[in-house]
Amino acid sequence: MEKKIYKIEPVFEQRIWGTQALRTKYHYETELENIAEVYNVCAMPGHLDNVVTGTGLHLSDFYKQNRELFGIQCEIMPVEVCMAHSDSYLSIQLHPDDAYALKTEGSRGRPEGWVILEGPEKNRMVIGHHAQTQAEFEQWTKEKNWDRLFRYIEMQPGQYIHVPAGSLHAFCQGAIAVAFSTNADITYRLYDFDRIDPKTGKERELHIQQVFDNIRIPDDTLNAFWPEKTKAEGCEITRFYDEKNVYTAGRIQVAEQGFFETEAFMFYVCVNGSGRINDCEIKAGETVFVPCRFGKIEICGNLDLMTITYRE
């Protein structure tokens, strides 16, 4: 396949907590009742799998057929980016690690990280819990002693938080957030605020035993932080998170013109503004893929780009 810049088409998901905010902000067109999540980068065959514009291929197949464009050894495309907006808390949940997920679900686990794009000045979210032992966690869960169990923090727009596998979390309401993760979709719900799914007339499924199997104890130290920023060649570069075999996530903001180069492949998700990367036009809500060892790219316009790649 030609080493050029490719556009990636979004995939939309509707949820009982979804809103119209993402549809309105990015002018997305879909017949869904709401857009709770936009999967900008995802490659799960038959489920959430972006189309690579102009190739006739979903991203999972594009990866398999063009491994030289990625320059890594993973059998499946390894990283994921999605955006979300909710009118209420997401379910209080966790994701398993690789060992558990591969054994029970045939999938990778899902450590993830979040940055708030816009929303209230202070956003309250669940991160971790106050139990100090497994027995205490299970007891408070059986008693539904949520006020005692759940740990809340505040997070401001522009801050980042990494959520390891096994950490209990529920993202805040009223904020547009961007999530970076491994390419997986295994979620275990502990509590869902007794919400009724209008499609089924029932509460959504919980996964109490799976949560017990995977919960991190103790888990009362995670907090959002202001990530490091640097400036180079017209780009303001923010580094959110970098871990081998997990993901490398960041942000590049350009006011008029900038230049950027990396040896790794890179997905660029435009969250604000418009412009072009080399000769490829891009605007808010769109995503492009730049192959590995592509050379220096020129970024023109007023662009706010979330980035993700992977290193082994």
Side-chain angles (χ1 to χ4, degrees), residues 192-256:
D192 196 37
F193 302 94
D194 303 318
R195 286 180 288 206
I196 301 298
D197 188 334
K199 290 188 174 181
T200 65
K202 300 178 180 179
E203 295 181 6
R204 293 195 296 173
E205 183 182 4
L206 300 179
H207 312 91
I208 306 298
Q209 186 57 54
Q210 291 94 327
V211 171
F212 289 168
D213 290 345
N214 287 276
I215 192 69
R216 295 175 75 228
I217 295 176
D219 193 9
D220 56 1
T221 61
L222 296 174
N223 283 295
F225 63 92
W226 294 103
E228 174 188 354
K229 293 185 178 182
T230 58
K231 292 185 177 180
E233 296 192 78
C235 299
E236 183 175 83
I237 302 166
T238 305
R239 305 190 186 281
F240 292 138
Y241 190 78
D242 177 30
E243 183 180 347
K244 285 183 179 180
N245 301 315
V246 180
Y247 61 82
T248 299
R251 187 176 196 170
I252 297 175
Q253 293 167 289
V254 172
E256 294 181 359

Side-chain angles (χ1 to χ4, degrees), residues 1-6 53-55 62 69 289-291 294:
M1 187 71 75
E2 183 182 357
K3 185 171 278 193
K4 64 176 186 177
I5 297 175
Y6 295 86
T53 305
T55 68
F62 180 82
L69 300 183
F289 166 73
V290 178
F294 188 82

Side-chain angles (χ1 to χ4, degrees), residues 10-11 13 15 37-42 48 50 80-82:
V11 176
E13 280 280 275
R15 306 285 190 194
E37 296 169 303
V38 178
Y39 286 83
N40 309 92
V41 180
C42 199
L48 302 168
N50 301 106
E80 179 182 312
V81 180
C82 76

